[in-house]
Amino acid sequence: MSKAKNILLINPWIYDFTAYDFWLRPLGLLYIASLLQKYTRFRLHLIDCLSRRHPALEKIIKTKPDGRGPFLKKEVPKPSVLKEVPRKYSRYGIPIELFLHELEEVPFPDLVLLTCTMTYWYPGVQLVVELIRRKFGQVPVVLGGIYATLLPEHARSTSGADVIFQGMGERGFLPLIREIFGDGYSPDIQVETLDEIPWPAFDLIPGQDVLPVLTSRGCLFECSFCASPLLCKKFEQRPPSSVVSEIEYHHRRYRTQNFAFYDDALLLKKENHIVPLLKGVIQRDLSVFFHTPNGLHVREIDSELASLFKKANVQSLFLSQESTDAGVLAKAGSKVSEGDLERAIVHLERAGYRRQEINVYLMVGLLGQTYSSMKESVLHVQRLGAVPRLAYFSPVPGTCEWKDLVKGGYIAQDADPLLHNKLAFMFLMGDISPRDLKLLKELTDEKKGQAAVS
Ligand code: SF4
């Protein structure tokens, strides 16, 4: 191995109309970091522009007991393609001055690695690259993540990064390191499965009170609006015992109280996965709470699983129902059947959850979804005593829904990715009117919603 060099990993700001820290952590970057820690001698430094736990921000940021909370934000001018969207547009995350201070603190990097999740958050990448160039000149900049994977050409021509890295980091990142620095800087090994990647390098982030945990990757379904099948070609699950050991390790090392499952399909093949996983957690008597921000497949929730959820302290439950309209469900995918939601709610209630603790995601703005269908879904969930949570549709390039939108003339294939923003789509291109959207929001407002049901 040759002498140690420095790699700076950066999670850029979000540019959006709305953003909230729903247990968000830059997990992809932290996995790459763990690979580098295990297999190379690079010194690593990480700047998370979305961190709400930076020591300089401790006193001004509010956090709920379960770890969620608002990002700092600064309103910025709307890009011209978004000027007709009647909402304020902001940069979410740490102040720029704090970012510049962080750049002063880190050693001169030999490589900068950035990520970007949503395609329409790319202005955050552009700003980071601009500031990096100002400070460090022509240091090589690599951009990975979902945006780079789905829109490599756009990223190549507008981000300012030197290398656009597509796909799963563990497969190609060590070879990329060898390509950039030479054979001596990284071993010629192949990391094939999710479980072969060392556990995420949480030592690089401040505040580990809430951590993500990924037990599987991909999904067996192919819903029309979802990018999961595009991003992960095959569904893979880690051995449950390995996940339990990881949870216990982080809990003991960092005193982490809250873990958020980042899986797209946590409950699939449950007998060999989530069931033994939760039993393992219960057996080790870990005093931790779990959260499910990505939504759970309602069909899989039976009495055993509901009871394991309760015993293992699965605290926040988000169920992915999407709609109660059979026509919408048939078009979007086959993951929910009639009666699944009702059954799941009964099992959860019998296990000890109050119905008001059960959140149900409902899609808003899918092509062909009418206001009355969306309203009926909301009312249906409310009649069941659960809490409807509106999930705004945003067009993701490459999905079936995207292809239909392009074919139908709603959006151009090469449209500015800013137009993939859920609110931009809703206000500028979608079928739902601003008035209907307002009515739906009012309906899901707790007090007004209850009034509407009674
Ligand atoms: S079931 Fe969920 S994760 Fe799987 S494709 Fe459908 S929306 Fe995506």
Side-chain angles (χ1 to χ4, degrees):
M1 290 266 177
S2 307
K3 68 182 171 63
K5 289 178 179 281
N6 295 298
I7 293 185
L8 175 59
L9 302 100
I10 303 179
N11 186 31
W13 290 277
I14 288 173
Y15 278 73
D16 210 325
F17 296 103
T18 166
Y20 189 79
D21 181 4
F22 211 59
W23 301 289
L24 276 184
R25 295 291 177 278
L27 187 60
L29 270 189
L30 294 167
Y31 264 125
I32 297 281
S34 68
L35 266 184
L36 292 168
Q37 282 178 338
K38 177 163 181 185
Y39 294 112
T40 76
R41 292 175 54 214
F42 286 93
R43 286 185 295 244
L44 307 180
H45 311 272
L46 186 139
I47 304 177
D48 182 2
C49 295
L50 298 181
S51 175
R52 300 187 315 108
R53 285 160 177 80
H54 190 288
L57 304 176
E58 252 172 9
K59 291 207 173 82
I60 50 173
I61 285 203
K62 292 195 179 82
T63 296
K64 290 184 176 185
D66 67 11
R68 286 178 288 177
F71 291 116
L72 279 187
K73 69 173 175 178
K74 173 153 182 48
E75 191 181 342
V76 295
K78 265 183 266 183
S80 57
V81 289
L82 301 178
K83 68 177 188 304
E84 300 300 331
V85 180
R87 292 285 186 278
K88 289 177 179 168
Y89 191 67
S90 299
R91 179 177 57 246
Y92 291 85
I94 63 174
I96 288 187
E97 304 71 45
L98 188 53
F99 178 78
L100 294 176
H101 173 77
E102 291 286 301
L103 288 189
E104 290 295 333
E105 297 288 300
V106 298
F108 198 101
D110 297 283
L111 180 80
V112 176
L113 173 63
L114 310 179
T115 187
C116 181
T117 307
M118 307 306 278
T119 55
Y120 48 88
W121 289 349
Y122 74 83
V125 174
Q126 291 177 330
L127 177 59
V128 167
V129 175
E130 185 191 324
L131 297 174
I132 288 294
R133 296 282 183 233
R134 246 188 255 168
K135 174 77 183 155
F136 300 122
Q138 287 312 305
V139 55
V141 175
V142 177
L143 171 65
I146 294 176
Y147 161 57
T149 300
L150 293 180
L151 293 180
E153 290 314 319
H154 186 273
R156 206 164 279 125
S157 59
T158 66
S159 69
D162 302 290
V163 177
I164 301 303
F165 183 88
Q166 290 178 261
M168 299 296 165
E170 79 275 10
R171 302 253 157 80
F173 199 72
L174 292 178
L176 179 67
I177 290 290
R178 287 198 300 280
E179 213 175 286
I180 295 174
F181 294 103
D183 286 347
Y185 285 89
S186 158
D188 187 7
I189 55 141
Q190 268 308 323
V191 179
E192 293 294 341
T193 66
L194 179 56
D195 204 53
E196 283 170 20
I197 317 173
W199 298 336
F202 292 133
D203 54 306
L204 294 179
I205 54 171
Q208 294 93 352
D209 53 318
V210 180
L211 292 177
V213 56
L214 190 66
T215 81
S216 65
R217 225 169 19 188
C219 182
L220 291 172
F221 291 97
E222 293 193 351
C223 298
S224 61
F225 52 86
C226 181
S228 182
L230 298 174
L231 298 169
C232 304
K233 303 286 178 219
K234 87 174 197 294
F235 179 57
E236 57 172 322
Q237 293 176 307
R238 293 172 56 195
S241 58
S242 166
V243 179
V244 177
S245 298
E246 181 190 338
I247 292 167
E248 180 168 26
Y249 173 80
H250 294 316
H251 171 61
R252 300 217 184 281
R253 177 170 177 189
Y254 302 115
R255 297 178 192 279
T256 306
Q257 289 293 313
N258 291 285
F259 289 91
F261 288 117
Y262 271 28
D263 305 61
D264 288 334
L266 180 67
L267 308 189
L268 295 190
K269 300 190 175 183
K270 61 187 171 193
E271 294 310 332
N272 298 321
H273 191 66
I274 191 69
V275 167
L277 196 162
L278 292 178
K279 282 182 178 169
V281 168
I282 295 163
Q283 218 168 28
R284 294 196 198 188
D285 200 16
L286 303 177
S287 170
V288 296
F289 297 98
F290 294 99
H291 309 281
T292 61
N294 282 1
L296 300 170
H297 287 87
V298 289
R299 187 184 291 168
E300 304 298 333
I301 300 175
D302 56 17
S303 61
E304 182 190 22
L305 199 46
S307 151
L308 289 172
F309 279 169
K310 193 66 188 167
K311 287 183 189 143
N313 288 332
V314 178
Q315 191 181 53
S316 17
L317 286 169
F318 291 85
L319 312 187
S320 292
Q321 173 68 26
E322 321 305 6
S323 173
T324 58
D325 181 321
V328 172
L329 288 175
K331 181 171 177 279
S334 57
K335 68 175 175 174
V336 198
S337 309
E338 208 184 327
D340 287 344
L341 180 62
E342 290 76 1
R343 277 189 289 277
I345 289 177
V346 167
H347 290 313
L348 290 167
E349 189 177 41
R350 284 188 185 148
Y353 289 97
R354 286 178 295 121
R355 289 190 176 222
Q356 301 93 305
E357 289 178 302
I358 304 169
N359 301 280
V360 180
Y361 285 133
L362 297 173
M363 289 292 290
V364 169
L366 282 171
L367 205 54
Q369 235 185 336
T370 61
Y371 171 68
S372 62
S373 151
M374 289 182 272
K375 180 180 168 190
E376 178 45 34
S377 294
V378 168
L379 293 177
H380 185 92
V381 171
Q382 287 175 336
R383 283 194 291 266
L384 291 172
V387 182
R389 299 278 176 193
L390 301 183
Y392 299 116
F393 167 70
S394 80
V396 181
T399 58
C400 295
E401 213 66 39
W402 168 268
K403 288 173 192 159
D404 285 350
L405 289 169
V406 171
K407 210 162 133 195
Y410 287 83
I411 193 164
Q413 178 72 34
D414 60 352
D416 188 324
L418 292 173
L419 293 170
H420 306 165
N421 183 298
K422 54 190 184 296
L423 286 187
F425 181 77
M426 208 76 70
F427 282 109
L428 306 179
M429 291 159 276
D431 285 337
I432 182 168
S433 73
R435 182 179 158 276
D436 289 348
L437 190 58
K438 188 161 171 270
L439 287 173
L440 279 176
K441 282 186 69 177
E442 282 176 5
L443 202 57
T444 47
D445 177 284
E446 236 166 61
K447 286 180 202 133
K448 290 177 191 162
Q450 285 311 315
V453 179
S454 54

